[in-house]
């Protein structure tokens, strides 16, 4: 039996791994309008045209009350039932401690897991896999849904980027290579005198062949789930297909862009609302599709930084600091908004303009890695941050 298929066989229900799905809201999402502090009067003072109305005003234009202080943006109505069923938790005023307002630097720090240190070569999610070595690990142990491997999955542990399950193949880099790929690419590897290259090449094609046979038609959405016909929705659906197919996936990454709303961000309606409808519906459909499988899955959302507490002159917001994170799944202690609320008084704001940071994002994802994924050495994943469990926020069971 080919080595790859041996590894696939090893992924039996008895040996099934837990999955962690990271959804990156690239562009800096506005956490203050996603999870609205409607009981904070300063929120309405700072956002006179884009604020989300308080729940007591009623109607479809009001925030969806979570706990009497915070409410969801109304475009996230699909996620409110999950919060009520304790399957969804929120961590507010969370993010990276580095003060940069550069998208490039902030994303790099958040994906490397070493805020303020530019010399880090690998990503924290890849390092996490490296702390749990597996003999004959599946080549699909770490998967990014998209055309490029994210910074978070760079490193020594094998990871792969898949733009689309239906189109997964070895990408030809030139017309000459395309000809080889059509008729003789596999043969080129087969004839190699380098036995190591020969074996690696053969396993690559075995993996490609098996994944091609993971026909999404055989794994339709279950439990009445309906995914949005959008890039985010379809990527979440394909993640579901891979989990159902049991090909050994453990960590998965989804990029969700477009959150840099300097102009016309809007309030109840606008650019942010459209993004939230898509993301919320995609996450809710995934949860419904997975059903009992959600007991082995945790989904976490993150963005490089938040937005300014005060709206700008273009009905938008500018680069800020702290943000909010969603944590969804069976191992999650949901139904609660975690984290110390720093407040929105002028003297409470970071640099007088942003929501201040109360929870380091590494405390959130680190807790998921330890309690859900089984990482033993968190200090190896986040150098300099340490592995003291007192830093955890308590969002994961165990």
């Amino acid at each position: 039996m080919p080595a790859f298929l041996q590894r696939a066989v090893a992924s039996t229900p008895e040996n099934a791994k837990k999955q962690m799905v990271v959804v990156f809201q690239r562009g800096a999402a506005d956490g203050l309008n996603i999870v609205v502090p409607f009981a904070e009067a300063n929120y309405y003072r700072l956002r006179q045209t884009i604020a989300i109305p308080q729940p007591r005003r009623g109607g479809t234009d009001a925030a969806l009350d979570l706990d009497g202080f915070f409410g969801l943006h109304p475009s996230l109505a699909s996620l409110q039932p999950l919060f009520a069923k304790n399957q969804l938790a929120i961590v507010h005023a969370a993010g990276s401690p580095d003060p940069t307002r550069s998208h490039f630097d902030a994303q790099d720090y958040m994906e490397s897991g070493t805020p303020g240190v530019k010399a880090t070569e690998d990503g924290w999610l890849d390092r996490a896999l490296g702390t749990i070595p597996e003999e004959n690990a599946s080549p699909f142990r770490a998967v990014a849904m998209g055309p490029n491997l994210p910074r978070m999955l760079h490193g020594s542990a094998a990871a792969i980027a898949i733009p689309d399950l239906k189109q997964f193949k070895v990408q030809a880099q030139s017309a000459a290579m395309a000809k080889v790929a059509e008729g003789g690419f596999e043969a080129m590897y087969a004839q190699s005198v380098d036995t190591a290259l020969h074996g690696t090449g053969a396993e690559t094609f075995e993996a490609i062949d098996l994944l091609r046979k993971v026909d999404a038609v055989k794994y339709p959405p279950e439990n009445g789930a309906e995914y949005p016909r959008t890039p985010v929705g379809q990527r979440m659906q394909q993640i579901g297909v891979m989990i159902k197919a049991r090909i050994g996936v453990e960590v998965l990454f989804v990029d969700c862009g477009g959150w840099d709303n300097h102009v016309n961000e809007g309030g109840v309606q606008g650019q942010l609302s459209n993004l939230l409808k898509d993301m919320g519906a995609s996450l809710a459909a995934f949860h419904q599709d997975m059903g009992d499988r959600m007991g082995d899955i945790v989904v976490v959302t993150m963005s490089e930084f938040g937005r300014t507490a005060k709206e700008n002159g273009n009905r938008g917001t500018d680069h800020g600091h702290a943000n909010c994170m969603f944590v969804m799944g069976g191992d999650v202690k949901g139904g609660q908004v975690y984290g110390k609320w720093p407040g929105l008084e002028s003297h409470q704001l970071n640099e007088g303009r942003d929501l201040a940071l109360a929870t380091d994002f590494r405390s959130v994802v680190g807790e998921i890695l330890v309690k859900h994924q089984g990482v033993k050495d968190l200090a190896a994943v986040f150098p300099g941050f340490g592995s003291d469990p007192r830093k955890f926020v308590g969002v994961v069971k165990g």
Side-chain angles (χ1 to χ4, degrees), residues 41 57 90 101 110 174-175 189 242 245 257:
R57 293 185 57 179
I90 296 164
R101 300 183 192 277
M110 215 160 195
S174 66
Y189 275 97
M242 286 188 284

Side-chain angles (χ1 to χ4, degrees), residues 77-99:
S78 57
L79 294 182
Q80 189 180 28
L82 299 182
F83 188 88
K85 294 176 182 176
N86 299 329
Q87 288 283 297
L88 174 68
I90 296 164
V91 185
H92 219 320
S96 170
D98 189 85

Side-chain angles (χ1 to χ4, degrees), residues 204-220:
T204 299
F205 289 108
E206 289 164 12
I208 292 169
D209 186 55
L210 184 63
L211 190 56
R212 280 175 177 167
K213 293 174 184 175
V214 178
D215 188 352
V217 175
K218 297 178 182 177
Y219 302 97

Side-chain angles (χ1 to χ4, degrees), residues 178-389:
K179 268 189 178 177
V180 174
E182 284 173 11
F185 205 43
E186 289 93 333
M188 180 182 74
Y189 275 97
Q191 294 168 11
S192 170
V193 296
D194 187 328
T195 55
L197 179 61
H198 182 184
T200 302
E203 289 197 19
T204 299
F205 289 108
E206 289 164 12
I208 292 169
D209 186 55
L210 184 63
L211 190 56
R212 280 175 177 167
K213 293 174 184 175
V214 178
D215 188 352
V217 175
K218 297 178 182 177
Y219 302 97
E222 300 174 11
N223 308 309
E226 294 184 12
Y227 288 91
R229 304 295 299 177
T230 62
V232 177
Q234 294 308 293
R235 285 171 181 172
M236 292 304 298
Q237 181 175 352
Q238 292 195 6
I239 282 176
V241 168
M242 286 188 284
I243 291 173
K244 293 175 188 177
R246 291 194 176 279
I247 57 173
V249 291
E250 293 180 43
V251 296
L252 303 112
F253 180 94
V254 176
D255 243 328
C256 178
W259 301 88
D260 193 18
N261 302 139
H262 290 277
V263 178
N264 295 327
E265 175 185 316
V268 175
Q269 302 293 332
Q271 293 184 61
L272 180 64
S273 173
N274 294 334
L275 289 164
L276 292 176
K277 284 178 184 176
D278 183 17
M279 188 184 80
S282 298
L283 293 178
F286 178 76
H287 189 282
Q288 187 172 351
D289 183 16
M290 292 297 96
D292 291 342
R293 297 181 185 89
M294 282 305 301
D296 291 326
I297 303 169
V298 168
V299 180
V300 61
T301 68
M302 57 199 306
S303 193
E304 63 261 37
F305 45 69
R307 315 292 298 185
T308 47
K310 185 177 181 179
E311 66 179 270
N312 60 27
N314 298 310
R315 296 198 74 236
T317 50
D318 299 318
H319 298 177
H321 193 43
N323 211 322
C324 66
M325 301 173 71
F326 286 8
V327 189
M328 178 181 80
D331 274 350
V332 175
K333 292 193 285 187
Q336 185 174 337
V337 179
Y338 290 83
K340 181 181 178 182
W341 180 244
L344 296 177
E345 290 280 359
S346 297
H347 69 278
Q348 295 171 324
L349 297 176
N350 172 66
E351 298 182 355
R353 52 176 276 171
D354 315 313
L355 178 64
L357 184 76
T359 302
D360 192 307
F361 80 97
R362 292 170 291 183
S363 294
V364 181
V365 295
E367 184 176 356
I368 298 170
L369 291 173
V370 170
K371 295 183 180 180
H372 181 73
Q373 294 296 115
V375 169
K376 303 295 183 186
D377 185 9
L378 195 60
V381 180
F382 296 121
F385 185 68
S387 55
D388 188 344

Side-chain angles (χ1 to χ4, degrees), residues 37-46 54:
F38 65 80
E40 168 95 47
N42 291 296
Y43 167 75
Y44 295 97
R45 175 179 61 82
L46 293 164
Q54 293 181 322

